[in-house]
């Protein structure tokens, strides 16, 4: 079975569409999405609707929880709470105000993990680690940390996103794979990232796809994106998103106006 793994779309529908076009040619048996669908991109609703309409199995990422935290009266089906800081709230609300109640419902009902048993192998799909969606496993982690993260996972493969940097390595008997990000990279390679696992050959391929960043910036300008569209374009092009605290973003974004 050949399975495509996509993650961290972050409201960048131009990049998502480019990856899905390529995946269509890859003739996969299944595609799984590892969350972070909507926040920090100009097209949050479009990305949620695309994943939903294609029936792609999907789990929630940390920024999906960020968005849900500013929706009044919502009772998520999971128990992980997030409390945004005051300066972050208007950015989250910019996104949720452009999403339908059906988009929000979809996010709120996403599970923490997804599992498949294929060709005698257990595949686990999570956003961050098997334990939570806010932290990550890295190849440079200590053996103790890798032991703790993998021992109770009950999986031969663990697929992750969250850090926007793809990798693959083996720890003991577990293959650890990060699919990278579609919406924006953090490894200085601007191209959208996804991976394909072939369970019959026990192999995995990390793929990068070029897409038109100018179209993403155009989309940001059309909707008066809360993050400065010019800054957004530079971040996409450089393949790195310089973290700026929300309290200090006013000079970059002129938002809220
Ligand atoms: Fe992300």
């Amino acid at each position: 079975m050949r399975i495509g793994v996509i993650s961290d779309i972050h409201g960048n529908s131009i990049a998502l569409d480019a990856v899905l076009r390529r995946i269509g040619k890859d003739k996969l048996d299944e595609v799984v999405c590892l969350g972070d669908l909507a926040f920090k991109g100009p097209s949050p609703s479009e990305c949620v609707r695309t994943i939903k309409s294609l029936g792609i199995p999907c789990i929630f990422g940390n920024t999906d929880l960020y968005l849900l935290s500013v929706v009044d009266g919502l009772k998520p089906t999971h128990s992980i709470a997030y409390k945004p800081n005051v300066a972050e709230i208007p950015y989250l609300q910019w996104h949720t105000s452009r999403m339908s109640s059906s988009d929000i419902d979809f996010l709120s009902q996403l599970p923490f993990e997804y599992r498949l048993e294929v060709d005698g192998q257990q595949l686990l799909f999570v956003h961050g680690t098997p334990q939570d969606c806010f932290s990550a496993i890295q190849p440079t982690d200590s053996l103790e940390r890798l032991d703790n993260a993998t021992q109770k996972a009950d999986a031969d493969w663990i697929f992750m996103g969250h850090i926007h940097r793809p990798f693959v390595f083996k720890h003991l008997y577990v293959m650890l794979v990060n699919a990278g990000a579609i919406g924006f990279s953090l490894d200085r390679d601007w191209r959208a990232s996804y991976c394909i696992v072939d369970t019959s050959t026990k192999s995995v391929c990390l793929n990068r796809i070029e897409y038109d960043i100018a179209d993403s910036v155009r989309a940001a300008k059309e909707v008066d994106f809360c993050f400065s569209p010019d800054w957004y374009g530079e971040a996409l092009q450089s393949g790195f998103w310089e973290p700026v605290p929300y309290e200090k973003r006013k000079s970059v974004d002129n938002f809220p106006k």
Side-chain angles (χ1 to χ4, degrees):
M1 190 170 182
R2 295 175 72 243
I3 302 162
V5 185
I6 61 176
S7 189
D8 294 86
I9 298 161
H10 286 285
N12 188 344
S13 63
I14 304 296
L16 175 61
D17 290 346
V19 169
L20 290 175
R21 275 196 299 275
R22 174 64 68 88
I23 277 179
K25 294 175 188 162
D26 288 334
K27 299 198 179 355
L28 302 173
D29 299 297
E30 181 157 2
V31 177
V32 178
C33 177
L34 307 184
D36 275 9
L37 302 185
F39 186 45
K40 293 187 179 176
S43 311
S45 180
E46 290 86 338
C47 292
V48 172
R49 276 187 282 132
T50 297
I51 296 300
K52 184 181 173 186
S53 66
L54 293 174
I56 292 174
C58 186
I59 59 178
F60 67 80
N62 57 309
T63 65
D64 301 314
L65 297 185
Y66 296 176
L67 290 175
L68 295 174
S69 73
V70 296
V71 179
D72 289 335
L74 193 70
K75 290 199 179 87
T77 52
H78 45 78
S79 59
I80 304 170
Y82 175 74
K83 195 166 176 357
N85 70 44
V86 172
E88 183 182 8
I89 290 173
Y91 285 87
L92 295 166
Q93 289 174 331
W94 183 93
H95 293 72
T96 55
S97 69
R98 283 155 180 82
M99 297 168 72
S100 68
S101 56
S102 145
D103 297 336
I104 297 293
D105 279 353
F106 182 77
L107 284 193
S108 73
Q109 287 168 24
L110 294 174
F112 170 76
E113 67 175 37
Y114 180 70
R115 286 180 182 269
L116 285 173
E117 182 177 354
V118 187
D119 293 332
Q121 297 155 64
Q122 302 288 336
L123 282 65
L124 171 62
F125 302 86
V126 292
H127 181 72
T129 72
Q131 287 73 39
D132 72 81
C133 66
F134 297 99
S135 61
I137 295 172
Q138 309 252 18
T140 51
D141 284 343
S142 69
L143 292 178
E144 183 185 11
R145 173 160 170 72
L146 293 173
D147 283 346
N148 288 336
T150 56
Q151 270 174 357
K152 292 179 185 163
D154 189 26
D156 303 298
W157 296 84
I158 302 176
F159 295 92
M160 302 158 284
H162 186 54
I163 58 172
H164 299 216
R165 291 190 294 274
F167 63 69
V168 56
F169 71 101
K170 195 169 192 177
H171 176 66
L172 302 177
Y173 61 90
V174 185
M175 287 295 285
L176 296 158
V177 184
N178 195 301
I182 287 181
F184 62 92
S185 304
L186 291 175
D187 65 351
R188 309 279 182 188
D189 181 339
W190 63 271
R191 299 170 299 167
S193 175
Y194 74 103
C195 75
I196 297 174
V197 56
D198 188 330
T199 53
S200 63
T201 57
K202 297 186 179 178
S203 61
V204 64
C205 182
L206 305 176
N207 292 340
R208 301 301 283 247
I209 298 288
E210 295 188 359
Y211 69 98
D212 195 338
I213 287 177
D215 277 352
S216 298
V217 175
R218 205 169 296 125
K221 287 181 175 165
E222 279 171 8
V223 296
D224 204 9
F225 188 30
C226 56
F227 293 91
S228 154
D230 290 332
W231 180 88
Y232 179 61
E234 286 168 20
L236 294 181
Q237 192 68 62
S238 64
F240 189 72
W241 184 293
E242 192 72 53
V244 179
Y246 286 98
E247 295 80 0
K248 295 182 179 173
R249 289 210 60 101
K250 185 83 182 170
S251 61
V252 179
D253 301 323
N254 188 29
F255 178 83
K257 292 184 168 51

